Amino acid sequence: MKRKTENRYAMREDGTGLWAVYDIFTGLTAEVNGLPQDGLDIGHADDLVDLLNHEYIARRKGTTH
């Protein structure tokens, strides 16, 4: 089980029913391939948070290239 403190990304609702994925360290909207990850439905945002956190943790442990 991963500790919550290992995570770098979270999601927040923008007031219109759409969601953004953001970097909890900087507070900035996350970008993937240069595109801000906002205006997402809750399911896509949740999946993206899981994916980005998984990749971040793997990079920190040195298990990705």
Side-chain angles (χ1 to χ4, degrees):
M1 180 176 183
K2 62 185 171 189
R3 293 185 322 235
K4 195 169 196 132
T5 57
E6 290 180 330
N7 291 341
R8 179 167 187 151
Y9 299 94
M11 55 191 241
R12 58 183 164 214
E13 202 264 337
D14 69 4
T16 69
L18 297 175
W19 294 80
V21 176
Y22 72 100
D23 182 323
I24 63 172
F25 299 142
T26 67
L28 299 174
T29 301
E31 291 187 0
V32 175
N33 296 326
L35 299 173
Q37 298 304 298
D38 55 11
L40 305 172
D41 68 48
I42 193 169
H44 286 107
D46 188 50
D47 289 346
L48 185 58
V49 165
D50 290 343
L51 176 66
L52 291 175
N53 281 323
H54 175 77
E55 290 182 358
Y56 172 72
I57 291 165
R59 275 194 313 273
R60 291 195 61 204
K61 290 181 179 178
T63 56
T64 62
H65 301 283

